[in-house]
């Protein structure tokens, strides 16, 4: 039977879903196809134990980051991920998703995950999922990251059980633990976190006095320089190592990163500076070369002491995750213990 074409509907998690302007028939087609291809995902706000299905224990109920209980397959095979952290967590647990959303500043997966994520179809962007593409991926479960738009979540739950995996604190460790429960791989999540803790402890020991150094992390783009404050992935990793943070980087930011003008570049200074762009190559990376020639940049103490390391911003300064955390430890070891 020929596939019925479904009208493309895209939503953004940061703003209300726009009212559909297509005819009612088109909306009916979308609903019909969503239900026919994937069945209805279920969620509620009640707590409960494992929910046994017809085949005896094939279903499990988990409580997501919003406190919503979601019933889903005990070991889902087809997973769609709607955030960089979900992609990272899934790959860290040995599950290759069947659909992903492009990372910040990327056409597909974040650069540091590109190899592991090769061949996974893109089903959306940072701004939100493409519902039609999510349907076509035929997921058993959808990992919705930090998606907060209730109307978008309602659409997704018509496709498959949908789990919000990232809390307001954006804690990658808690997200990994929750993802482990969703994917039936809690043991692997626990083992990963144990390995990370051991690696962080070893690095902190090897850093010696430098473990108390002031470490600054900045990102550069066509919009200029931005610093990473508290409440984001990289700050949590640096805290695990005992590093201090300079100036406003000790404070919680209003957004994911805080813009800094060229006149205030001193705010990105520290004993050590890690700076990069979201893409390791391209126009932003070329712009970073220009920044390094500006007098205000060259006067930074970290620059004078040759304590500057160029980083992959898609790993250090985006949403992060389990693989990113381990890789950041390796970057710091290379930069500060060599």
């Amino acid at each position: 039977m020929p596939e019925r074409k479904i009208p493309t509907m895209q939503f953004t998690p940061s703003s209300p879903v726009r009212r559909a302007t297509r005819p009612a028939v088109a909306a009916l087609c979308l609903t019909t196809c969503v239900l026919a291809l994937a069945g209805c995902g279920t969620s509620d706000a009640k707590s409960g134990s494992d929910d046994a299905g017809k085949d005896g224990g094939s279903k499990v109920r988990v409580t997501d980051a919003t406190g919503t209980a979601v019933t889903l397959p005990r070991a889902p095979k087809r997973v769609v991920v709607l955030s960089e952290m979900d992609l990272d967590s899934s790959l860290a647990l040995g599950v290759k998703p069947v659909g992903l959303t492009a990372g910040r500043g990327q056409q597909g997966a974040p650069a540091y995950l590109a190899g592991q994520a090769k061949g996974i179809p893109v089903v959306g962007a940072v701004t939100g999922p493409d519902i039609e593409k999510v349907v076509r991926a035929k997921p058993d479960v959808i990992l919705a990251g930090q998606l907060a738009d209730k109307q978008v979540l309602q659409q997704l739950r018509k496709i498959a059980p949908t789990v919000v995996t990232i809390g307001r604190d954006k804690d990658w460790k808690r997200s990994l633990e929750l993802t482990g429960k969703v994917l039936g791989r809690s043991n692997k999540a626990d083992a990963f976190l144990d390995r990370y803790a051991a690696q962080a402890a070893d690095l902190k020991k090897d850093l010696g006095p430098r473990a108390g150094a002031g470490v600054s992390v900045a990102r550069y783009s066509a919009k200029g320089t931005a610093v990473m404050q508290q409440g984001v992935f990289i700050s949590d990793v640096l805290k695990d190592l005992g590093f201090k943070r300079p100036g406003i980087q000790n404070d919680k930011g209003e957004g994911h990163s805080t813009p800094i003008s060229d006149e205030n570049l001193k705010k990105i200074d520290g004993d050590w500076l890690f700076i990069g762009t979201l893409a390791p190559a391209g126009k932003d990376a070329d712009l970073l070369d220009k920044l390094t020639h500006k007098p205000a940049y060259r006067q930074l103490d970290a620059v004078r002491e040759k304590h500057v390391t160029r980083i992959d911003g898609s790993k250090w300064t985006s949403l992060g995750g389990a693989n990113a955390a381990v890789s950041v430890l390796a970057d710091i070891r290379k930069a500060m213990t060599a």
Side-chain angles (χ1 to χ4, degrees):
M1 181 176 181
E3 179 182 271
R4 180 178 297 173
K5 183 171 180 57
I6 305 170
T8 301
M9 298 177 68
Q10 295 187 356
F11 308 99
T12 64
S14 58
S15 62
V17 178
R18 290 192 287 268
R19 291 178 179 269
T21 57
R22 292 186 172 89
V25 173
L28 179 59
C29 287
L30 174 60
T31 302
T32 301
C33 289
V34 165
L35 297 176
L37 285 174
C40 291
T42 59
S43 66
D44 55 56
K46 299 178 181 179
S47 61
S49 57
D50 289 1
D51 180 17
K54 292 181 179 180
D55 52 350
S58 65
K59 300 289 184 179
V60 64
R61 179 174 292 181
V62 300
T63 301
D64 76 4
T66 68
T68 300
V70 184
T71 300
L72 45 91
R74 184 175 295 277
K77 304 297 183 183
R78 298 183 63 81
V79 181
V80 163
V81 294
L82 301 183
S83 78
E84 299 141 304
M85 189 178 290
D86 290 327
L87 174 63
D88 190 314
S89 295
S90 297
L91 293 173
L93 297 177
V95 175
K96 188 170 183 177
V98 296
L100 61 81
T101 51
R104 287 170 175 79
Q106 318 288 308
Q107 296 299 313
Y112 76 98
L113 294 175
Q116 291 177 267
K118 186 176 182 180
I120 302 176
V122 175
V123 298
V126 174
T127 51
D130 182 318
I131 297 298
E132 178 183 352
K133 291 181 179 178
V134 173
V135 171
R136 289 180 177 174
K138 299 180 180 179
D140 297 327
V141 68
I142 299 170
L143 304 183
Q146 55 190 339
L147 186 61
D149 193 306
K150 293 181 179 179
Q151 293 186 57
V152 179
L153 287 170
Q154 185 178 21
Q155 288 287 332
L156 293 172
R157 284 168 177 152
K158 291 178 181 178
I159 302 169
T162 300
V163 181
V164 177
T165 57
I166 304 173
R168 292 182 179 180
D169 58 4
K170 297 180 177 63
D171 189 313
W172 70 269
K173 297 175 186 175
R174 292 181 183 176
S175 183
L176 181 67
E177 289 175 336
L178 176 55
T179 302
K181 293 178 182 178
V182 173
L183 301 182
R185 302 198 174 202
S186 289
N187 289 342
K188 287 193 174 184
D190 292 341
F192 190 102
L193 290 172
D194 287 344
R195 289 196 301 273
Y196 167 80
Q199 290 177 31
D202 287 344
L203 176 55
K204 187 174 181 180
K205 179 180 178 181
D206 294 342
L207 284 167
R210 289 181 175 178
V215 173
S216 175
V217 180
R219 183 171 68 204
Y220 197 73
S221 70
K223 296 180 180 179
T225 309
V227 295
M228 310 305 293
Q229 294 187 265
Q230 297 301 307
V232 297
F233 158 76
I234 190 59
S235 295
D236 291 339
V237 176
L238 297 180
K239 190 179 298 182
D240 288 339
L241 296 171
F243 287 125
K244 298 176 183 178
R245 304 296 298 285
I248 64 171
Q249 294 180 53
N250 287 300
D251 304 325
K252 187 174 178 60
E254 294 184 4
H256 185 74
S257 57
T258 305
I260 299 295
S261 66
D262 284 354
E263 292 76 17
N264 291 314
L265 274 181
K266 188 67 178 176
K267 292 184 177 181
I268 73 169
D269 205 359
D271 297 323
W272 296 79
L273 170 61
F274 293 85
I275 185 170
T277 60
L278 285 174
K283 60 181 182 180
D284 284 351
D286 294 339
L287 285 174
L288 182 56
D289 289 332
K290 295 180 180 180
L291 173 68
T292 62
H293 291 91
K294 292 184 177 182
Y297 178 86
R298 296 173 69 88
Q299 291 171 11
L300 297 177
D301 292 338
V303 174
R304 291 176 176 176
E305 295 295 325
K306 297 182 179 180
H307 287 174
V308 179
T309 300
R310 287 202 181 193
I311 55 173
D312 176 355
S314 75
K315 174 174 59 179
W316 278 66
T317 69
S318 195
L319 199 53
N323 283 305
V326 170
S327 188
V328 163
L329 295 183
D331 290 345
I332 293 173
R333 176 176 289 282
K334 182 177 180 181
M336 296 182 66
T337 65

